[in-house]
Amino acid sequence: MSERIQAGPGVVHTEGDAVDLVVLGGGVGGLTAALVASIEGRRVLLVERGERLGGTSARSSGTVWIPDNPYMQQQGMQGDAAEARRYLDAL
């Protein structure tokens, strides 16, 4: 008999079901990979350890932060790459 696996709310996978792709992480990258594979007819298992999908993109509201980028510099803004690195390392 197959065992149904569900760590939280959402889609359930039945142990023993064959899949073509296992995607680890339900962030934007993982969700995109799972969607494209599914559209292409693949059987996908998406594994997310958090309570919600979206990863860091959900927390950032989908914005992208690129410190000290050329567009900032064109506007006369200066970023501190070392300070950005310290911030990212602390996450």
Side-chain angles (χ1 to χ4, degrees):
M1 182 170 192
S2 296
E3 179 183 345
R4 293 173 59 89
I5 302 168
Q6 182 176 9
V11 177
V12 176
H13 174 72
T14 302
E15 186 178 334
D17 285 351
V19 296
D20 299 307
L21 177 67
V22 176
V23 178
L24 302 178
V28 170
L31 290 172
T32 301
L35 174 63
V36 170
S38 180
I39 289 170
E40 294 295 321
R42 304 300 188 266
R43 293 165 297 183
V44 179
L45 173 62
L46 176 69
V47 179
E48 170 58 50
R49 71 177 173 172
E51 294 180 13
R52 296 185 196 104
L53 294 176
T56 58
S57 298
R59 289 185 291 184
S60 69
S61 302
T63 60
V64 176
W65 174 58
I66 304 173
D68 199 29
N69 68 69
Y71 300 105
M72 288 175 60
Q73 295 166 3
Q74 287 174 359
Q75 298 296 317
M77 300 164 58
Q78 266 190 305
D80 184 340
E83 183 178 342
R85 171 57 58 199
R86 284 190 297 277
Y87 170 77
L88 292 171
D89 288 342
L91 293 179

